[in-house]
Each structure stands twice: as C-alpha cells, then as structure tokens.
Amino acid sequence: RTLAGDQAEPPPDGPAVVHTVLLAGGRGDRADPTVLQSLAADVARAGDASTVGLLGDLTSPDGRPDPVPMLARALDGYRGRVAVVPGERDWRRGADALDGLVDRLDDALVADVSLPAGTDGEVEEIDLTDAFRLIVVDTAWWMADADDRSEDGESRSALADRLGQLVADRDDETVLVVGHHPVASNGA
C-alpha cells in the first residue's frame, strides 16, 4: 500500500512489478476525499497492468450518496480491471440493485468492471498473469442468513471445499484471496 505521492518501486535487486492489485472498500457513507485522491494517484501510477478490488459496502445504508460519481472521478481514465466484491450493505438492496450498481460503474468507467463472484455466493478465480491469481469470495453472501440470500449457487460447504481446492491447486503461483469480510477478526 502506498499513500498519494509515495513511489511504489520494486526493491533494487527484486523482480519487476508485472501486475499491481489495489484494494479499497467501505466508501458508501464515508467518502473521504483523501482516500479517493489516494486511490486516483495509485491507479495512475499502477497503469493498465493492474486490478482494483472494490471490497464492498460501496453503498450507504440509505442508498445515498450514489457511489458511482465518486468512484468514477477516482478511477477516471483508468484502463485496468475493476472487480466489485459486494458487502452486506450492497446486498441489502438485492441482487438486481447490485447488478445495477456494477452496470452503472461499467458505463461510467473506461476500465472493465465485473462482479466476479456473481450474485449467488460463488468463488471466482481471475488470472492476473501467468503466475498470479486473484480469488474473489463473496463473503457477504456466505455470512447472510439463509432466508436473506439466494440459494441458486452451491452450498456453503461445497464453496468452502472449492476455495480450498483452488488455493491448493495453485501452490506454485502467487494467490491473493479477497472478500469483504476478514478471514479472522478480533471483533473490532
């Protein structure tokens, strides 16, 4: 992670950076201009060989303000990839609203915008380079009560098995697993 104005450079004896992943989330009711300015500076520095992961809670509890204009300004001209990973706030308005958010972002940005894990709790693998994989987990779907989520996809245990197998199968590659919720938390 770099802050606006910092230079992200590989160590002098290290390999060249072939792909950059930038992660941001929780912007729905806390659209701090400093964070968005930092994201804008980071994506400009990262270039096309990069992926921005928007890690959920992009919408506020009441749906205002619309996050699309703020994110469009921060990602203006960005030509990399944008992967939207929904949080529970994004899910509260339903799958159609979530798809609409992604569609509006896709229309507002030059970048390719996707909802990699879909709207049914999928685990999705994205090849970033020949040896670098991003695995997206829709943790908000996994954490929701059964009555509040679609059951169109696999069961929780089948998805957990699939995630474990994806990671195990990539033991010779760099794997980054992202989701809205942390794998472990102290409750804070």
Side-chain angles (χ1 to χ4, degrees):
R1 168 74 181 109
T2 62
L3 297 175
D6 291 348
Q7 294 300 314
E9 297 178 15
D13 297 329
V17 174
V18 294
H19 197 90
T20 301
V21 177
L22 303 163
L23 303 173
R27 303 301 355 128
D29 59 350
R30 293 174 280 139
D32 181 346
T34 306
V35 172
L36 293 173
Q37 289 167 357
S38 180
L39 178 61
D42 287 346
V43 297
R45 218 176 3 263
D48 295 353
S50 62
T51 300
V52 172
L54 298 175
L55 302 182
D57 284 354
L58 301 175
T59 56
S60 64
D62 64 1
R64 293 183 309 246
D66 181 0
V68 172
M70 293 178 286
L71 290 167
R73 281 191 299 276
L75 300 172
D76 184 42
Y78 175 62
R79 297 187 180 279
R81 177 183 303 184
V82 177
V84 177
V85 182
E88 65 274 3
R89 288 183 186 171
D90 307 315
W91 269 114
R92 273 191 203 127
R93 302 182 72 194
D96 289 342
L98 183 56
D99 284 335
L101 172 65
V102 173
D103 289 345
R104 289 190 345 269
L105 275 171
D106 196 36
D107 289 345
L109 299 175
V110 176
D112 177 35
V113 179
S114 66
L115 184 64
T119 56
D120 55 5
E122 289 293 320
V123 173
E124 186 72 28
E125 180 180 32
I126 301 170
D127 295 336
L128 301 177
T129 70
D130 289 340
F132 187 17
R133 307 286 179 259
L134 177 68
I135 297 177
V136 178
V137 181
D138 183 354
T139 59
W141 182 91
W142 286 37
M143 304 274 297
D145 291 332
D147 294 340
D148 295 335
R149 60 182 160 83
S150 69
E151 287 291 349
D152 297 337
E154 300 174 68
S155 70
R156 285 180 178 174
S157 62
L159 287 168
D161 290 344
R162 182 162 175 248
L163 174 60
Q165 192 61 51
L166 280 173
V167 172
D169 288 348
R170 305 299 181 257
D171 64 348
D172 61 333
E173 300 166 351
T174 300
V175 176
L176 175 62
V177 179
V178 298
H180 173 67
H181 296 89
V183 174
S185 173
N186 65 2

